[in-house]
């Protein structure tokens, strides 16, 4: 509704100004006799060419109306660090020049002529967000109808400032503005209108835009017309929505990182007392750091993005996993040599988490809690088999010493079992944290890719 209203308003305004000039009869007809036999005579347009330094208006109180549109043909680059978007577009302008009109019937049916722009007055339309000099190539042509309407199209490489929000990189969408305005003429001298409505501009741009690049044109979804102040400049603002193609970054960044995290999660199936587990996790951590250094150029450096948070969490999990492995290795070594008594609160927490009525996960270790592989720990049957008979102890003169020794060893074995169970519980909790993190990451990527 807003777009159609603006297009209609600009069209009606320019039509009213055109009818005012036509009603006043303020037009100058060029004598074009002989054009069909001898070609176009440049001398017939010398009077109009001599006015190129002045605004083509027969009445200085009536502003000239310039209808504009553009065709976006390529999105060349988006620099997140400098907040710049570089694009290539064709700017189309149509205006009325009452000093260049002719009768087609007297000119052999010629209704349209092409002229060099260096001989014509041109509107000084520019883009306010432009951060570079206008590099319009010289020698362009403009096309003039017999009724005095001039159409001029020029190519522009536009490096414009854009407020880029890269938090959702590489699934980000950007909304950049292109504000067209006059540099010299105020609204009293020049008003702007629309040659096409926004939907036509969008369809034309999407049909010819180069679609093999990193960015895709989503739409030109909104525009508005404003006048800056009473003696200000007429402006037309376009909002260009673009979306990044995430495939390159998903393949080169997310997939390798997910593989490394998954391998680190599978390393929990290695026995905690094994010497290879800590070295394996350390190798993975070093490899992940090398991966981040190699792929640093693909990441935006201007602000924090969601993928940077993801990499930081992955690195934190891998460091936490390595520290947990080192702690468990030390704990098992301490438990097998001189097991310390377990605090009561920790014992209660362990019993609560490992009881069958709770929802704790199964420990990702193979088999039951077999302590035979731990150095310095013997099974209870082995201890019982070595306990001497009471009569034998009485004959040896040490009744009760064997019983005390048996109780001490049983107590030590019980403490070892408790500390081993605690290490299993720690592995289980961290393993579950890995699974939750990987599942959340996959769901987030799917949601961001499909929205």
């Amino acid at each position: 509704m807003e777009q159609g209203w603006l297009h209609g308003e600009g069209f009606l305004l320019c039509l009213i100004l055109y009818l005012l000039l036509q009603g006043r009869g303020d037009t100058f007809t060029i004598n074009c006799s002989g054009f069909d036999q001898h070609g176009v005579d440049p001398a017939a347009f010398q009077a109009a060419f001599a006015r190129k330094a002045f605004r083509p208006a027969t009445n200085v109180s009536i502003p000239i109306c310039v209808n504009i549109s553009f065709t976006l043909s390529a999105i060349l680059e988006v620099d997140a660090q400098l907040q710049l978007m570089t694009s290539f577009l064709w700017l189309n302008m149509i205006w009325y020049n009452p000093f260049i009109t002719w009768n087609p019937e007297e000119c052999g049916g010629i209704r349209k002529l092409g002229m060099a722009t260096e001989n014509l007055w041109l509107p000084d339309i520019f883009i306010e967000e432009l951060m570079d000099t206008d590099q319009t190539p010289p020698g362009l042509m403009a096309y003039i109808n017999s009724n005095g309407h001039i159409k001029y199209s020029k190519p522009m490489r536009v490096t414009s400032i854009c407020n880029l929000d890269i938090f959702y990189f590489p699934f980000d969408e950007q909304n950049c503005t292109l504000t067209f305005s006059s540099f010299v003429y105020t609204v009293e001298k020049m008003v702007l209108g629309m040659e096409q409505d926004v939907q036509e501009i969008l369809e034309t741009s999407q049909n010819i835009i180069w679609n093999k690049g990193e960015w895709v044109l989503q739409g030109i979804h909104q525009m508005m017309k404003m006048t800056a102040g009473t003696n200000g400049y007429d402006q037309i603002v376009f909002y260009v929505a673009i979306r990044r193609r995430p495939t390159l970054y998903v393949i080169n960044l997310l997939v390798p990182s997910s593989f490394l995290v998954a391998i680190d999660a599978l390393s929990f199936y290695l026995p905690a007392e094994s010497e290879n587990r800590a070295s394996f996790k350390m190798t993975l951590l070093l490899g992940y750091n090398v991966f981040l250094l190699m792929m640093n150029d693909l990441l935006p450096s201007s602000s924090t993005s969601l993928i940077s948070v993801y990499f930081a969490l992955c690195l934190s999990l891998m460091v936490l996993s390595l520290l947990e492995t080192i702690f468990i290795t030390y704990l098992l070594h301490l438990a097998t040599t001189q097991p310390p008594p377990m605090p009561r609160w920790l014992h209660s927490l362990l019993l609560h988490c490992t009881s069958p009525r709770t929802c704790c996960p199964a420990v990702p270790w193979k088999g039951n809690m077999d302590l035979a592989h731990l150095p310095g720990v013997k099974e209870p049957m082995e201890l019982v088999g070595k306990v001497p008979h009471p009569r034998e102890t009485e004959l040896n003169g040490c009744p009760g010493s064997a019983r005390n020794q048996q109780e001490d060893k049983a107590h030590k074995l019980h403490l070892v079992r408790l500390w081993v169970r605690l290490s299993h519980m720690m592995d289980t909790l961290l393993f579950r944290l890995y699974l939750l993190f990987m599942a959340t990451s996959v769901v987030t990527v799917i949601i961001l890719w499909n929205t």
Side-chain angles (χ1 to χ4, degrees):
M1 182 66 68
E2 181 182 356
Q3 297 174 356
W5 174 83
L6 176 57
H7 176 65
E9 182 195 34
F11 175 78
L12 290 177
L13 179 59
C14 292
L15 180 61
I16 292 174
L17 294 177
Y18 174 72
L19 293 177
L20 285 176
L21 293 176
Q22 291 290 333
R24 291 171 53 92
D26 296 331
T27 58
F28 298 83
T29 303
I30 294 175
N31 183 12
C32 58
S33 60
F35 279 13
D36 55 338
Q37 298 178 356
H38 308 288
V40 178
D41 184 10
F45 296 91
Q46 289 301 320
F49 293 163
R51 297 174 177 265
K52 67 179 183 178
F54 304 98
R55 185 171 61 94
T58 56
N59 190 340
V60 295
S61 62
I62 299 179
I64 184 173
C65 181
V66 179
N67 289 328
I68 65 172
S69 67
F70 70 95
T71 301
L72 188 63
S73 58
I75 302 171
L76 303 178
E77 183 184 4
V78 176
D79 193 332
Q81 184 174 3
L82 298 178
Q83 299 284 294
L84 296 176
M85 180 186 72
T86 303
S87 58
F88 188 84
L89 57 85
W90 284 85
L91 176 60
N92 307 313
M93 295 178 286
I94 296 179
W95 68 96
Y96 174 66
N97 190 334
F99 302 107
I100 308 179
T101 61
W102 66 87
N103 188 353
E105 297 179 356
E106 298 178 358
C107 302
I110 299 176
R111 297 182 178 274
K112 188 176 183 180
L113 290 175
M115 295 185 182
T117 55
E118 59 186 16
N119 297 320
L120 300 173
W121 176 89
L122 300 177
D124 59 331
I125 304 299
F126 78 108
I127 299 176
E128 292 189 358
E129 293 83 3
L130 189 65
M131 300 300 293
D132 200 357
T133 57
D134 188 3
Q135 300 178 358
T136 303
L140 297 178
M141 301 291 291
Y143 295 93
I144 307 175
N145 291 332
S146 59
N147 56 6
H149 284 89
I150 303 176
K151 182 174 183 179
Y152 171 52
S153 299
K154 66 174 183 176
M156 297 181 65
R157 179 187 174 96
V158 180
T159 301
S160 58
I161 189 169
C162 182
N163 187 16
L164 301 175
D165 183 10
I166 59 170
F167 179 74
Y168 293 104
F169 173 90
F171 306 97
D172 52 329
E173 292 185 5
Q174 306 299 337
N175 197 4
C176 300
T177 59
L178 296 177
T179 304
F180 294 87
S181 179
S182 173
F183 186 76
V184 175
Y185 300 102
T186 63
V187 69
E188 297 178 351
K189 302 297 182 181
M190 179 187 296
V191 294
L192 300 180
M194 291 292 297
E195 180 194 359
Q196 298 175 326
D197 59 16
V198 176
Q199 189 62 32
E200 293 177 357
I201 295 176
L202 175 60
E203 292 176 356
T204 304
S205 299
Q206 288 180 336
N207 289 334
I208 69 171
I209 197 169
W210 187 55
N211 289 322
K212 301 300 181 180
E214 181 182 355
W215 294 88
V216 179
L217 178 63
Q218 289 290 103
I220 305 174
H221 55 83
Q222 185 182 2
M223 73 172 193
M224 58 183 177
K225 186 172 183 289
M226 62 178 65
T227 302
T230 55
N231 295 324
Y233 302 90
D234 211 12
Q235 299 175 346
I236 297 182
V237 182
F238 295 91
Y239 296 87
V240 180
I242 58 178
R243 181 184 177 90
R244 191 192 306 265
R245 296 181 188 270
T247 307
L248 172 67
Y249 301 95
V250 170
I251 295 176
N252 291 308
L253 294 177
L254 295 181
V255 173
S257 178
S258 302
F259 283 163
L260 292 174
V261 173
I263 294 174
D264 192 45
L266 293 176
S267 66
F268 283 100
Y269 284 91
L270 296 175
E273 72 280 357
S274 175
E275 298 178 356
N276 297 327
R277 179 172 173 179
S279 59
F280 180 76
K281 286 183 172 292
M282 189 174 298
T283 304
L284 278 178
L285 183 60
L286 292 176
Y288 194 78
N289 280 278
V290 172
F291 162 74
L292 292 181
L293 290 176
M294 293 177 60
M295 296 301 169
N296 189 44
D297 293 338
L298 293 178
L299 296 176
S301 58
S302 59
S303 61
T304 303
S305 59
L306 192 60
I307 194 172
S308 300
V309 177
Y310 168 76
F311 287 149
L313 290 177
C314 290
L315 188 62
S316 301
L317 273 179
M318 298 179 76
V319 172
L320 180 63
S321 173
L322 178 60
L323 294 177
E324 186 258 355
T325 300
I326 296 174
F327 176 73
I328 287 180
T329 303
Y330 168 75
L331 190 64
L332 294 179
H333 172 73
L334 186 63
T336 55
T337 54
Q338 189 177 358
M342 181 173 287
R344 182 175 299 179
W345 65 270
L346 186 58
H347 188 202
S348 303
L349 179 63
L350 180 63
L351 292 178
H352 174 74
C353 290
T354 56
S355 62
R357 292 175 297 176
T358 59
C359 299
C360 264
V363 179
W365 287 26
K366 296 181 180 179
N368 296 325
M369 291 185 296
D370 184 12
L371 303 180
H373 55 271
L374 293 178
V377 180
K378 298 180 180 180
E379 287 296 326
M381 294 303 298
E382 184 179 356
L383 293 174
V384 173
K386 290 187 178 183
V387 175
H389 195 269
R391 291 183 179 179
E392 182 180 353
T393 59
E394 291 178 1
L395 295 175
N396 294 334
C398 52
S401 62
R403 182 181 299 274
N404 294 334
Q405 184 179 5
Q406 180 185 2
E407 292 178 355
D408 291 342
K409 290 184 178 180
H411 180 66
K412 177 181 179 181
L413 183 61
H414 177 67
L415 290 177
V416 170
R417 286 183 178 274
L418 290 179
W419 287 113
V420 170
R421 186 180 297 179
L422 177 64
S423 65
H424 289 191
M425 185 188 70
M426 293 174 60
D427 264 359
T428 299
L429 294 178
L430 192 56
F431 181 72
R432 274 214 160 190
L433 182 60
Y434 264 82
L435 295 181
L436 178 62
F437 174 74
M438 290 189 294
T440 304
S441 302
V442 172
V443 172
T444 303
V445 169
I446 294 175
I447 293 176
L448 291 178
W449 202 326
N450 293 329
T451 54

